[in-house]
Amino acid sequence: MKEFAHLGEMVAHLATMAAAETLALHHGLKKCAVAIERTAKQEIGEYQGEVGPFAGWVELADSTKADRVAQGFTENDPLLRSGKLRASISHQIHGLEAVVGSDSDIMVYQELGTEHIPPRAVLGPAAIRNKELILKTLGKAAAEGLLYGAGSSQTALE
């Protein structure tokens, strides 16, 4: 057990541990957000099956397929036309919060569905598909942050 010469030394040690923990978790969170973003982008253009509470994607309507072809796009690549929707997916990290999303209104319509469009969720399923990576990465980051803050010389997240 570590011994401290005075209270100030203990406070400094605890502050170092807290900073190391936060830094390790931040790096782990970034790794997870990048993975979720990559998975979400990969889902565009490919029919997705049911995952968690999210329904599998239904086949595009014949009228939609005909419209896609008439506009010069492939017939049956759901959510993929110009690639603009896929490109709109990004991530942001702020401290210990990560957001993976899109600034496209079209993504909202696709995620939730409308009166005429069945939902084709992308973002929620991408997070679920990365569940094991998230658990492993954040668990490892938490443990390594504590160990590094307690005096270990390096962390595997570096």
Side-chain angles (χ1 to χ4, degrees):
M1 176 179 280
K2 186 164 181 76
E3 293 187 25
F4 303 99
H6 51 79
L7 185 58
E9 189 178 303
M10 184 180 88
V11 170
H13 176 73
L14 292 175
T16 299
M17 286 184 69
E21 179 74 2
T22 299
L23 184 60
L25 286 169
H26 177 82
H27 288 301
L29 196 55
K30 178 156 181 67
K31 180 178 179 180
C32 294
V34 167
I36 294 167
E37 177 184 336
R38 182 176 44 247
T39 300
K41 287 180 174 182
Q42 291 170 345
E43 291 178 355
I44 303 290
E46 301 289 331
Y47 283 98
Q48 301 299 315
E50 179 180 332
V51 60
F54 301 98
W57 295 5
V58 298
E59 183 83 15
L60 293 175
D62 290 340
S63 59
T64 301
K65 291 178 184 179
D67 180 62
R68 290 174 57 87
V69 171
Q71 293 185 41
F73 299 109
T74 58
E75 178 184 71
N76 201 19
D77 295 320
L79 306 189
L80 180 62
R81 289 188 183 217
S82 68
K84 194 173 179 181
L85 184 63
R86 177 174 38 215
S88 76
I89 300 170
S90 64
H91 73 275
Q92 294 181 353
I93 309 292
H94 299 285
L96 295 180
E97 290 185 6
V99 175
V100 180
S102 168
D103 59 3
S104 170
D105 290 340
I106 293 170
M107 183 62 81
V108 175
Y109 307 144
Q110 295 298 341
E111 284 283 320
L112 303 176
T114 68
E115 182 180 336
H116 303 289
I117 301 171
R120 291 186 177 91
V122 175
L123 300 169
I128 291 173
R129 288 187 174 94
N130 281 283
K131 179 182 175 182
E132 293 303 317
L133 173 87
I134 293 166
L135 293 173
K136 180 180 176 183
T137 301
L138 294 181
K140 185 176 182 180
E144 288 182 352
L146 287 173
L147 292 172
Y148 183 69
S152 174
S153 63
Q154 64 180 357
T155 173
L157 290 175
E158 293 177 335

